[in-house]
Amino acid sequence: MTSSNLIQWGGMAAMLGGALFVVSALLILAVDLSSYGEAVATGTFTVHAALFMLAAALLLLGLVGLYARHSEAAGALGLVAFLLAFFGTAFALGLNWAETFAVPVLAQTTPELLAEGPSGRLAFGFALSFPLFSLGWLLFGVALLRARVYPRVAVVLLIIGALLTFFPVPGFGIVLGVAVTWLGYALFSAEATIAEQQPQRVR
């Protein structure tokens, strides 16, 4: 498999991951989060968490493709932003794995634990993960803007979406998801065009 093929797959992963991120963010709007212990026991929340988990896994793959396409133009800032976004997304993936599989069990067996809220190392994990996710994608958007490789409007939308994720309110991921889907499409279509032109050049 060529590097162009890998980048195309990264574009596809970004498109699908971004789309799932949007659906997940829309689903959480239908959940009453005033009581977290009751909310996590609902089917809607379970689907939301599972889709977010899958979206985060695909975003990791998409991020690699998006970075590979502009790594030389992005320079040192691009590398730092990529690493922050990658690890922030990986941490968010871990949190949503817990919300998909572990938290619903806790809601049934020890609901008082969820009512108290996270504390200690768990609270530190929450406090670290989402700000790192937001900061990473924000800097990644800035690096993309400087590299001038992707559509400018899509990149600006990514920056706005990353800023919104600093405030973890229901539906916060919609703008970011739309931006990543757009960037993934731009990456996939550009690499597909290059792949089609290469045989013609050989002739």
Side-chain angles (χ1 to χ4, degrees):
M1 181 178 288
T2 65
S3 59
S4 180
N5 292 139
L6 290 173
I7 292 175
Q8 273 188 277
W9 280 104
M12 291 180 64
M15 280 192 291
L16 183 56
L20 290 178
F21 205 64
V22 172
V23 175
S24 173
L26 289 172
L27 281 175
I28 199 62
L29 294 176
V31 179
D32 181 8
L33 296 174
S34 58
S35 175
Y36 183 70
E38 295 179 4
V40 298
T42 64
T44 303
F45 186 92
T46 300
V47 174
H48 148 75
L51 288 179
F52 190 109
M53 180 181 64
L54 182 56
L58 289 168
L59 287 181
L60 287 174
L61 298 175
L63 187 62
V64 172
L66 290 170
Y67 173 69
R69 180 74 169 78
H70 84 291
S71 58
E72 294 184 4
L77 175 63
L79 177 59
V80 172
F82 166 74
L83 292 174
L84 288 176
F86 188 90
F87 284 107
T89 305
F91 290 167
L93 171 60
L95 288 178
N96 273 85
W97 183 95
E99 283 196 323
T100 302
F101 298 108
V103 172
V105 176
L106 291 176
Q108 294 179 346
T109 57
T110 54
E112 65 278 1
L113 190 63
L114 294 180
E116 294 174 0
S119 60
R121 284 187 293 181
L122 185 59
F124 175 75
F126 275 99
L128 173 66
S129 300
F130 280 108
L132 184 60
F133 175 90
S134 303
L135 178 62
W137 280 98
L138 173 62
L139 291 179
F140 191 68
V142 172
L144 292 183
L145 195 62
R146 294 179 60 186
R148 298 180 180 179
V149 177
Y150 296 100
R152 184 179 180 85
V153 177
V155 176
V156 171
L157 198 63
L158 179 70
I159 294 173
I160 294 172
L163 285 171
L164 291 176
T165 61
F166 275 103
F167 309 96
V169 296
F172 71 90
I174 295 175
V175 177
L176 183 68
V178 170
V180 172
T181 301
W182 188 349
L183 291 170
Y185 173 75
L187 175 62
F188 177 81
S189 58
E191 289 302 312
T193 301
I194 292 173
E196 290 176 359
Q197 291 176 346
Q198 284 177 344
Q200 297 176 3
R201 291 174 182 172
V202 172
R203 294 173 189 173

